[in-house]
Amino acid sequence: MAEQTIRQPLEGKIVLITGASRGIGAAAAKRLAQHGAAVVINYHQNREAAEHVLQEILGGGGRGMIFQADVTQNDQVEAMVQAAREQFSAVDVLVNNAYFPFEVGVLHELSWESLHQAIEHELCAFHSCVRACLPGMIEKKFGRIIVVSTRLAQQPLARMGAYAASKSALESMATTMAIELGPLGVTVNVVTPAFTLTDASLIMPEAFRERVRESRPLRKHLYPADVAGAIAFLASDQAHMMTGSHILITAGRQLQLRRSRAEGKSAYAHSGSNR
């Protein structure tokens, strides 16, 4: 009997991941490549890190390329999407993941320019990437748009208002696009992780990280690979009937918060540990 070849769930798909040189973006690039996709690794400044991600993918038998682009700039995004088309094909899956620095501070003390910049960067990048990728998706009558958000969009923390506001606006934009792009065969979904251990988040004190872990029913840290699994699922045909969905990845933390509000006596609520 002839040996059957097992088809990978994302075989033949072209995936563009913004901000893919590290953290969740890098983990998603590796996971989707393992599932058969050709991955475009977008980076802004750290070419060495992007090259490292690419070499891991190529070393595992996958396909990929890197492309430097500031995704808030339309011309650079257009050039990146065109390069992907020339090397592979039109983009099938867009993972909107790029991170933008923001000013930490009490909202009423932030300048309007600072708040406006945080929101503008987040929405501009998403809008530019969607507009650049959409013609190819319409041509193929297939598209997956996956937005990486944050739990702070629903549960803001003091001094993190600029980030929370920008991500809340991003989620609203994504949900609206799910309605508008559905008839074109394009799904739009949001992945919302809670505090995740990345190289960037390791600047937080260990006591804070442990307090977060202990506040979760699963008593576990979240890692980029955990988020990458949800992204891979949403990119696959298994999620073809999902659009406008928001997938929480919190190790169950949202259950703790809901219980504390209902009962009004949780130690977590009293200690203010929903930070």
Side-chain angles (χ1 to χ4, degrees):
M1 179 182 295
E3 185 177 339
Q4 290 185 333
T5 301
I6 299 176
R7 182 178 175 84
Q8 295 279 45
L10 295 176
E11 186 175 333
K13 301 303 182 188
I14 315 303
V15 180
L16 167 60
I17 305 177
T18 65
S21 64
R22 65 178 190 172
I24 291 171
K30 297 171 191 176
R31 181 69 62 89
L32 272 61
Q34 290 171 357
H35 288 193
V39 181
V40 180
I41 301 162
N42 161 253
Y43 71 99
H44 186 207
Q45 295 178 320
N46 196 338
R47 181 182 180 89
E48 183 179 354
E51 286 278 11
H52 182 72
V53 175
L54 177 61
Q55 291 308 313
E56 280 198 46
I57 288 172
L58 298 179
R63 296 188 299 155
M65 62 178 283
I66 65 171
F67 199 96
Q68 189 278 332
D70 177 348
V71 290
T72 66
Q73 301 300 310
N74 281 316
D75 58 341
Q76 295 184 36
V77 172
E78 291 282 355
M80 176 169 59
V81 172
Q82 181 59 32
R85 180 186 282 268
E86 291 173 358
Q87 182 155 338
F88 300 121
S89 177
V91 172
D92 298 287
V93 180
L94 167 64
V95 181
N96 188 84
N97 172 73
Y99 168 81
F100 303 99
F102 60 94
E103 184 176 353
V104 176
V106 179
L107 269 179
H108 69 270
E109 294 179 353
L110 296 181
S111 68
W112 170 247
E113 289 74 21
S114 178
L115 180 58
H116 179 266
Q117 183 181 69
I119 296 172
E120 181 181 33
H121 283 174
E122 202 73 55
L123 301 192
C124 179
F126 183 47
H127 188 259
S128 295
C129 289
V130 170
R131 281 177 60 88
C133 293
L134 197 55
M137 293 178 175
I138 293 173
E139 180 184 322
K140 293 184 177 185
K141 298 180 180 179
F142 174 93
R144 300 279 188 269
I145 298 173
I146 302 164
V147 174
V148 179
S149 185
T150 171
R151 190 66 174 136
L152 292 177
Q154 297 86 34
Q155 292 180 333
L157 296 178
R159 302 179 61 80
M160 300 289 283
Y163 190 53
S166 66
K167 288 295 189 179
S168 294
L170 177 66
E171 290 191 6
S172 178
M173 193 172 173
T175 302
T176 303
M177 283 190 177
I179 298 169
E180 296 171 344
L181 300 182
L184 302 177
V186 178
T187 65
V188 186
N189 293 290
V190 178
V191 173
T192 304
F195 180 77
T196 304
L197 288 187
T198 65
D199 54 350
S201 69
L202 289 178
I203 65 171
M204 300 300 291
E206 183 177 356
F208 171 83
R209 302 198 300 268
E210 284 304 303
R211 188 164 70 246
V212 170
R213 184 182 66 81
E214 285 296 325
S215 72
R216 296 166 172 166
L218 291 181
R219 300 295 192 270
K220 293 180 179 180
H221 287 303
L222 284 176
Y223 294 94
D226 301 316
V227 186
I231 293 172
F233 167 69
L234 289 173
S236 74
D237 288 340
Q238 296 180 35
H240 75 282
M241 288 299 287
M242 292 181 64
T243 196
S245 297
H246 292 238
I247 296 182
L248 295 180
I249 307 175
T250 69
R253 175 68 186 273
Q254 80 281 4
L255 302 175
Q256 292 283 69
L257 292 172
R258 286 174 183 170
R259 185 180 67 181
S260 69
R261 288 173 186 144
E263 297 177 358
K265 58 184 180 181
S266 168
Y268 294 109
H270 289 306
S271 66
S273 64
N274 57 339
R275 291 195 293 270

